[in-house]
Structure formats: C-alpha cells, structure tokens
Amino acid sequence: NIRVMRKKAERSGVLFRPHFKTHQSALVGEWYREQGVKSITVSSVKMGMYFASHGWEDITIAFPVNTREIDDINDLAGRVKLNLLVLTPEIAEQLSRELVNPVGIWIKVDTGYGRTGIPWGNREAIVDLSRKIEELPGIEFQGLLTHAGHTYHIYDVGERTRIFRGIADGMGQLRDGVLAAGLEQCLISVGDTPGATAAEDFSGVDEVRPGNFVYFDAQQLHLGSCDETEVAAAVACPVVAVHKDRSELILYGGAIHLSAQPEDHPEIEGQRMYGYVVEASPDGWGAVDRYNYVKSVSQEHGVARVDAMFLSKVKPGDLVGVIPVHSCLAVDLLDRGITTGSQFFDLDMV
C-alpha cells in the first residue's frame, strides 16, 4: 500500500507527506522510510514528539494549534522542521509572540467537509490571513491545507475523483489570489484516503497527506477505496463464549478495542456493524464473509454474528480476527501490533 501511493505521488511530481496517525508505529514508519519518505503528517504534538524521537525531522501537525501546548510546541520546533495550522490572525499573532523557534504555518481551508477551517468561498479572509502571517516574525507562511473528509461518505469512485480534481482546481484559484497579493510562495496540501485512492493524477497540488490507506479497513472496503487483498490490519480478539443457539460469538473486543464507531452493513438493511470477523492465524487472517460481523459492542464485549461453518471452528480461548470499521481508531485504542512475521511492535506513544 505504501509503495503504490508513493509511486502515484511520484508520477504526479508531488510531495508524499503521509499521515502517521493511522499506524502510530515507529516500525511502520521505517517501512515508509524505506520507500524514500522524509516528510510526515501527525495529528498531535504528542505524536510529533514520538516520531521526532525516532528520527523524523520534517513534521506537519495537521490539527489547529492548541495554544495551551505552547511549551511543548517550542520544544518540538527546536528539534525538527515543524509546520502548524492556523485559522485566525489572533492565533498567528500569539504564535509569533510566544514561539522561541521558527515554524512553518499553513492556513486550514474548509473545502466542503464542514468540520473546521476557513470556508474556501471566503477568499478575502484567506488572502488577508496569508498576508498577516507573511508579515509576522518567527513564523513562515507555507500555503493552504485542506482535508476533504466528506469523501468518506461518497461511494462512487468517479465522484470522489471529481471532488479531488475540483478541490485541486479551487485551491489553485485561491493560491492565485494569495500570490496576487504579493506573497512569493503558496503551496497546496491535500489529504484524504478516499480521494487519494480514487484519483490517479495529483497534479495541481504540491503535497498529498493520506493516512488510512496504509491499512485500510471495513469502511474503505465498502467505499471501494481498496479490495480485500489490500486490507492490511485486523484486530486479534479472544473468543470468550460461543452461543450456538443464536449463531453468535462473544469476543473480548468491544468499544475500547474496536471503537464505538459503526458502519451501515452493506448487505443487511437496517443493520449496523463494527467490523468483519475472520479466521486468524500467525500468518494473518482468512477471507472476509460479509455475513460474519460484529453486530454490537459494549465496553469490553463484542457480539459477533457468524454462520454455522465459522461457529463450528471456534471455541472459547481461540483467537479470531476483526477487520475494524476504522483502523485509525482501533490502532489508537490498542497497545501493540504483531506482523505476519511474528514481530511485535509498540502502538503506545506514552
């Protein structure tokens, strides 16, 4: 998965700055490094510190600046080339006053997701903020950054491609406005796995920041961002009870392991699911049968509905795999991983 995305970025002549919040692992980070990746994205100061301690020197925190962390930001900025996100001139001014080490600044732009950022229709605010950042000492304007999170709800691959191209074109027009205001540089940074997997051409932007693609998950499988052979992570869950009378397994794999985020079951109308249950072995896991799934979770419990064949193969104490709905959340909840080569690796950044 890393190699495929890296090659796509390379063909388009753009910087590949993958988001490391999905895997949160120094080991997986090394797999990226082997593919020539030198610049990364993280979602928190803590995560930035973790990867800085493992030799990463060019880090963007793709989350609006939390000024209560200014001391840690100063520490991190003294160790790496650090980029931060701002939305207002007030935060830019505070950073200029309080930062000890220089940092790069991106303006967060909302291109349709509706979560946060300056709406891209508000060109005047974007141009004014870029000019303000350029004038302030101690911070350096980098450009405009967006995350098209609304693509996570679009199942048509062609439509996701059109959204990617539309964002590239629209952000390019915003760049033109910033440069016309007298700035010498305005880079464009985009990042979302559904858009990045759908689009074959990244031209029009300067860097791409997808993250989930490294593992994929049940949600991306439903979207068509990947096929089953590209799903690269499953949660190993102990079976603690077998209820043959209702074709269910009870797993030690609940909301605190898989997350409480459900997904509509694609085959069963009105049913929510929390992951697909698959056979597990030291070499990996078996094929996905969409009728073998986790139907509900509480804190530690996962209730899985499985067919008679699957039910006949397991007993309490066995391990099964669960392809989670969202691998980023599952990784964040768990403490360690194991490769198919039986190498354990840390997932806890504390």
Side-chain angles (χ1 to χ4, degrees), residues 148-164:
H150 48 305
T151 59
Y152 281 78
H153 306 289
I154 296 175
Y155 288 81
D156 182 84
V157 175
E159 179 60 20
R160 293 203 304 275
T161 302
R162 286 189 289 274
I163 288 174
F164 184 96

Side-chain angles (χ1 to χ4, degrees), residues 34-113:
E34 290 168 4
Q35 290 296 316
V37 172
K38 296 180 180 179
S39 305
I40 67 171
T41 307
V42 298
S43 56
S44 68
V45 176
K46 174 186 172 184
M47 197 180 298
M49 289 182 165
Y50 172 80
F51 284 108
S53 71
H54 287 88
W56 294 93
E57 299 178 344
D58 183 352
I59 300 174
T60 295
I61 302 177
F63 190 87
V65 172
N66 173 12
T67 57
R68 297 177 69 92
E69 296 182 293
I70 195 68
D71 290 342
D72 288 337
I73 291 171
N74 271 320
D75 179 19
L76 183 58
R79 299 158 56 191
V80 304
K81 178 183 177 183
L82 184 64
N83 297 304
L84 303 173
L85 268 60
V86 302
L87 284 76
T88 67
E90 292 78 14
I91 294 297
E93 290 168 352
Q94 182 177 351
L95 291 175
S96 178
R97 289 193 308 270
E98 299 182 6
L99 285 172
V100 176
N101 299 292
V103 302
I105 299 292
W106 293 87
I107 296 175
K108 180 65 182 290
V109 177
D110 179 5
T111 53
Y113 187 19

Side-chain angles (χ1 to χ4, degrees), residues 299-328:
Q299 185 161 321
E300 279 88 6
H301 294 71
V303 180
R305 188 275 172 202
V306 297
D307 60 26
M309 178 66 73
F310 198 103
L311 203 66
S312 69
K313 296 179 181 180
V314 296
K315 62 185 183 303
D318 287 347
L319 285 176
V320 297
V322 175
I323 307 297
V325 163
H326 199 328
S327 59
C328 304

Side-chain angles (χ1 to χ4, degrees), residues 224-237:
S225 297
C226 63
D227 62 38
E228 185 182 329
T229 66
E230 294 167 312
V231 176
V235 180
C237 295

Side-chain angles (χ1 to χ4, degrees), residues 194-217:
T197 52
E200 289 300 324
D201 177 15
F202 294 155
S203 61
V205 306
D206 297 289
E207 65 175 40
V208 290
R209 311 180 325 277
N212 178 272
F213 75 94
V214 68
Y215 288 154
F216 290 120
D217 48 36

Side-chain angles (χ1 to χ4, degrees), residues 4-287:
V4 167
M5 191 63 73
R6 189 266 299 168
K7 287 182 177 179
K8 187 185 290 191
E10 190 176 73
R11 286 196 302 270
S12 296
V14 306
L15 177 67
F16 182 31
R17 185 188 288 275
H19 207 316
F20 274 23
K21 76 179 177 73
T22 299
H23 61 81
Q24 299 189 36
S25 160
L27 174 65
V28 178
E30 289 305 310
W31 298 343
Y32 277 100
R33 214 190 300 265
E34 290 168 4
Q35 290 296 316
V37 172
K38 296 180 180 179
S39 305
I40 67 171
T41 307
V42 298
S43 56
S44 68
V45 176
K46 174 186 172 184
M47 197 180 298
M49 289 182 165
Y50 172 80
F51 284 108
S53 71
H54 287 88
W56 294 93
E57 299 178 344
D58 183 352
I59 300 174
T60 295
I61 302 177
F63 190 87
V65 172
N66 173 12
T67 57
R68 297 177 69 92
E69 296 182 293
I70 195 68
D71 290 342
D72 288 337
I73 291 171
N74 271 320
D75 179 19
L76 183 58
R79 299 158 56 191
V80 304
K81 178 183 177 183
L82 184 64
N83 297 304
L84 303 173
L85 268 60
V86 302
L87 284 76
T88 67
E90 292 78 14
I91 294 297
E93 290 168 352
Q94 182 177 351
L95 291 175
S96 178
R97 289 193 308 270
E98 299 182 6
L99 285 172
V100 176
N101 299 292
V103 302
I105 299 292
W106 293 87
I107 296 175
K108 180 65 182 290
V109 177
D110 179 5
T111 53
Y113 187 19
R115 182 173 64 184
T116 190
I118 302 175
W120 62 343
N122 195 347
R123 299 189 179 194
E124 183 177 354
I126 292 169
V127 171
D128 287 348
L129 181 54
S130 65
R131 189 186 292 116
K132 165 66 78 172
I133 294 166
E134 184 74 5
E135 294 170 352
L136 290 168
I139 58 177
E140 181 181 355
F141 179 66
Q142 299 296 303
L144 311 177
L145 178 149
T146 191
H147 172 66
H150 48 305
T151 59
Y152 281 78
H153 306 289
I154 296 175
Y155 288 81
D156 182 84
V157 175
E159 179 60 20
R160 293 203 304 275
T161 302
R162 286 189 289 274
I163 288 174
F164 184 96
R165 292 293 353 137
I167 287 173
D169 293 343
M171 292 283 278
Q173 292 173 19
L174 288 175
R175 172 183 16 216
D176 292 343
V178 170
L179 296 177
L183 280 77
E184 295 183 0
Q185 169 184 278
C186 182
L187 303 174
I188 302 298
S189 176
V190 302
D192 65 285
T193 284
T197 52
E200 289 300 324
D201 177 15
F202 294 155
S203 61
V205 306
D206 297 289
E207 65 175 40
V208 290
R209 311 180 325 277
N212 178 272
F213 75 94
V214 68
Y215 288 154
F216 290 120
D217 48 36
Q219 183 183 52
Q220 297 300 325
L221 191 60
H222 295 169
L223 286 173
S225 297
C226 63
D227 62 38
E228 185 182 329
T229 66
E230 294 167 312
V231 176
V235 180
C237 295
V239 177
V240 296
V242 177
H243 294 282
K244 293 186 177 182
D245 57 323
R246 60 180 198 244
S247 298
E248 290 179 354
L249 305 176
I250 306 302
L251 308 180
Y252 183 28
I256 63 171
H257 310 102
L258 303 174
S259 92
Q261 177 177 315
E263 175 89 349
D264 288 336
H265 196 294
E267 312 294 341
I268 306 173
E269 186 175 355
Q271 177 64 56
R272 304 287 263 171
M273 52 86 71
Y274 296 81
Y276 290 118
V277 181
V278 291
E279 294 183 41
S281 76
D283 298 320
W285 55 88

